[in-house]
Amino acid sequence: MTGEAITDLVAIAQVHNERREPVDDDWGEVASVIRLDSGRFTADALLSLDSFSHLEVVFHFHRVPPAKVQEGARHPRNNPEWPLVGIFAQRGKNRPNRIGVSRCRLVKTDGLDLHVVGLDAVDGTPVLDIKPYLREFGPREAVVQPEWADELMRRYY
């Protein structure tokens, strides 16, 4: 199965916001609307989602050309001051399947629209899945990460 193409993933929604370029920082106050595909869904698909404060959104890094995908190690953000780490030891957008996962705050639902803040996806991003965030899915113990990750994330949100 390794390397086998998966062909049943279809976007369920699209992100709409003012961010046109995938800049690495300052996502915390970005307001977005995730608009579900009206050809597939009705507002019932979002029933009771507004009882959750946060969402996990799975999306496709559609602006990353396949030729830019990285499968080995690199310096995060190509910063030589940070260590060389494997692509699976970082959250960069040039991932093998170009899949992003983000948590964001749900402001409100309106028909087929989800109004969110803090989603780190640019305008036009195809959304693959939306899930309510449940605190029980977060770590039960202390989170450990290297110092370079703390520095990288300092201005991200």
Side-chain angles (χ1 to χ4, degrees):
M1 174 143 178
T2 302
E4 182 179 323
I6 298 171
T7 59
D8 61 347
L9 288 178
V10 177
I12 62 163
Q14 190 174 55
V15 174
H16 299 277
N17 64 29
E18 298 298 319
R19 287 293 281 265
R20 303 290 188 248
E21 297 301 321
V23 180
D24 284 324
D25 288 320
D26 302 317
W27 290 99
E29 299 305 315
V30 173
S32 299
V33 174
I34 301 171
R35 184 160 295 136
L36 286 179
D37 179 351
S38 63
R40 291 180 59 196
F41 302 100
T42 66
D44 284 357
L46 301 177
L47 189 63
S48 295
L49 188 61
D50 61 358
S51 62
F52 294 89
S53 65
H54 290 78
L55 305 175
E56 287 185 309
V57 180
V58 180
F59 56 91
H60 184 245
F61 287 118
H62 69 296
R63 303 263 307 266
V64 175
K68 295 282 187 178
V69 166
Q70 299 188 335
E71 296 176 342
R74 71 174 187 133
H75 298 280
R77 294 191 185 176
N78 297 314
N79 182 342
E81 294 182 15
W82 291 333
L84 191 65
V85 297
I87 192 64
F88 298 120
Q90 54 188 291
R91 294 184 61 108
K93 62 188 171 295
N94 296 38
R95 317 188 63 69
N97 281 318
R98 299 180 293 159
I99 293 175
V101 178
S102 185
R103 290 188 186 138
C104 56
R105 182 170 52 89
L106 176 60
V107 176
K108 70 177 182 174
T109 62
D110 180 20
L112 294 176
D113 291 350
L114 296 168
H115 294 258
V116 300
V117 173
L119 176 64
D120 56 345
V122 297
D123 185 64
T125 296
V127 174
L128 302 173
D129 203 359
I130 300 163
K131 300 179 183 206
Y133 179 73
L134 284 72
R135 64 180 156 265
E136 290 81 4
F137 280 98
R140 287 180 266 169
E141 53 280 320
V143 174
V144 176
Q145 62 189 34
E147 191 174 310
W148 65 263
D150 291 335
E151 187 177 338
L152 181 144
M153 294 302 295
R154 196 162 287 130
R155 291 188 46 233
Y156 195 82
Y157 284 109

